[in-house]
Amino acid sequence: MVPGRWRQHLQPRRRCRSLPTLPMEKPAASTEPQGPRPVLGRESVQVPDDQDFRSFRSECEAEVGWNLTYSKAGVSVWVQAVEMDRTLHKIKCRMECRDVPAETLYDVLHDIEYRKKWDSNVIETFDIARLTVNADVGYYSWRCPKPLKNRDVITLRSWLPMGADYIIMNYSVKHPKYPPRKDLVRAVSIQTGYLIQSTGPKSCVITYLAQVDPKGSLPKWVVNKSSQFLAPKAMKKMYKACLKYPEWKQKHLPHFKPWLHPEQSPLPSLALSELSVQHADSLENIDESAVAESREERMGGAGGEGSDDDTSLT
């Protein structure tokens, strides 16, 4: 049964025609909006409610407690202060998108077939099952900077249009049919997602917020590279993909958008009771703190965004 509040929020959708350092100290209510409620404190899997979406938006918009590490050409990156004895870290990246309507960016982030075209970091990604009209479970594995081991996650993803704005967010869960693999490190998404804010008929701003436990003691160069190079590059590649999406979509099932029209979803239904919360302490911790950056990665990191091959997006 779909809760009434979801039906109420999903009605307006007719108008509309997934970087990884430490959690902040709890802010005073008078100086800063509170962030999302801690997912890891949950004993059972829950579909996010209105308060979860509101608090996620507040943290995306918050400035107190974040350190700006990159700002160039409409892209800004912030990180939380890092405690040296912890591997968990937090990153926030914001990008201005000219000539890209908010609804187009929302479609691009949802369209899993298109993601396989533009996201060069993806190894494998697929949807597993549907939970509600605006929540599902999916698998995503990605390439990490060499010679680190590649990672994967199983996440419960939920989404919600909020007027002209949109939120997509996820957290890690365990699915009995998709246990950790020997060739990949199972990471944990504590809270990851996107806030898309419309700034006009053909423009928007996107904020990416990630609190991820990579399940490994990572070397300092990884954190630095994520905030100074990898995150900005990924955002710019996403922007290029958005510009090409309308043309691509016209050639690939143009009317198939189950994230807007739930009745189109081919996914099997899954009960929440089949899932459990993925706690980081139940997974193996990999010590990669002494791993040096490969020559290939150093050379690639100096090249800039111009080397991206966009021919696959046509």
Side-chain angles (χ1 to χ4, degrees):
M1 178 69 73
V2 179
R5 62 173 175 273
W6 297 128
R7 292 198 298 270
Q8 178 182 0
H9 283 303
L10 290 168
Q11 291 288 340
R13 292 204 290 188
R14 292 191 293 268
R15 66 175 291 277
C16 297
R17 304 291 165 283
S18 75
L19 311 180
T21 143
L22 274 178
M24 292 185 291
E25 295 181 359
K26 185 176 181 180
S30 60
T31 60
E32 181 184 1
Q34 293 189 8
R37 288 176 287 178
V39 174
L40 292 188
R42 294 176 178 167
E43 294 303 320
S44 62
V45 175
Q46 306 164 24
V47 174
D49 60 18
D50 292 354
Q51 182 179 340
D52 291 307
F53 281 105
R54 284 195 299 267
S55 58
F56 179 81
R57 179 174 187 147
S58 294
E59 187 162 15
C60 284
E61 296 174 337
E63 297 181 2
V64 176
W66 291 91
N67 299 316
L68 182 66
T69 61
Y70 178 98
S71 183
K72 184 179 179 181
V75 178
S76 300
V77 181
W78 296 263
V79 296
Q80 293 284 1
V82 180
E83 295 177 12
M84 299 308 294
D85 60 340
R86 297 282 299 278
T87 61
L88 185 63
H89 67 281
K90 222 171 189 181
I91 188 169
K92 180 161 59 176
C93 189
R94 183 173 296 143
M95 176 176 62
E96 301 171 8
C97 300
R98 298 179 180 179
D99 301 317
V100 175
E103 53 264 33
T104 297
L105 182 45
Y106 184 64
D107 287 350
V108 167
L109 291 174
H110 271 291
D111 198 321
I112 196 169
E113 294 304 317
Y114 190 56
R115 190 178 192 104
K116 296 173 184 177
K117 298 289 185 180
W118 68 265
D119 186 353
S120 58
N121 290 321
V122 67
I123 299 174
E124 185 180 16
T125 183
F126 53 87
D127 297 327
I128 297 172
R130 174 178 52 177
L131 298 172
T132 69
V133 293
N134 69 321
D136 61 19
V137 178
Y139 175 86
Y140 181 77
S141 58
W142 70 96
R143 298 178 180 87
C144 292
K146 295 180 180 179
L148 299 179
K149 294 184 177 180
N150 295 327
R151 262 70 175 173
D152 72 350
V153 289
I154 300 288
T155 60
L156 186 159
R157 182 183 61 161
S158 54
W159 54 92
L160 185 66
M162 305 176 74
D165 303 337
Y166 305 86
I167 289 177
I168 305 173
M169 60 185 188
N170 71 64
Y171 68 92
S172 282
V173 294
K174 289 194 289 188
H175 189 292
K177 294 184 179 180
Y178 298 92
R181 292 166 43 172
K182 294 182 179 180
D183 58 328
L184 297 167
V185 176
R186 178 62 51 88
V188 177
S189 169
I190 296 171
Q191 186 78 80
T192 301
Y194 301 91
L195 168 64
I196 306 168
Q197 297 172 292
S198 177
T199 55
K202 295 184 179 181
S203 63
C204 63
V205 172
I206 181 170
T207 302
Y208 169 74
L209 176 65
Q211 184 178 358
V212 176
D213 188 335
K215 289 312 299 175
S217 301
L218 299 178
K220 187 176 181 180
W221 65 263
V222 173
V223 178
N224 292 338
K225 187 168 186 175
S226 294
S227 61
Q228 297 293 335
F229 176 72
L230 296 179
K233 183 177 181 180
M235 294 293 272
K236 292 173 183 177
K237 193 169 185 67
M238 180 193 300
Y239 172 70
K240 293 179 182 179
C242 289
L243 294 175
K244 295 176 179 288
Y245 182 70
E247 180 182 358
W248 181 90
K249 188 60 176 174
Q250 281 300 314
K251 302 175 183 177
H252 301 83
L253 300 175
H255 301 296
F256 181 71
K257 296 184 177 183
W259 52 94
L260 295 178
H261 311 291
E263 68 276 6
Q264 295 180 344
S265 176
L267 296 176
S269 296
L270 182 71
L272 285 175
S273 58
E274 296 295 313
L275 304 171
S276 56
V277 176
Q278 178 66 78
H279 294 287
D281 55 10
S282 69
L283 295 169
E284 181 183 3
N285 197 68
I286 308 297
D287 186 358
E288 297 178 294
S289 58
V291 173
E293 186 174 15
S294 70
R295 183 178 184 276
E296 178 183 353
E297 286 291 329
R298 288 197 301 272
M299 296 300 291
E305 299 79 22
S307 59
D308 289 342
D309 180 9
D310 294 330
T311 56
S312 63
L313 301 181
T314 57

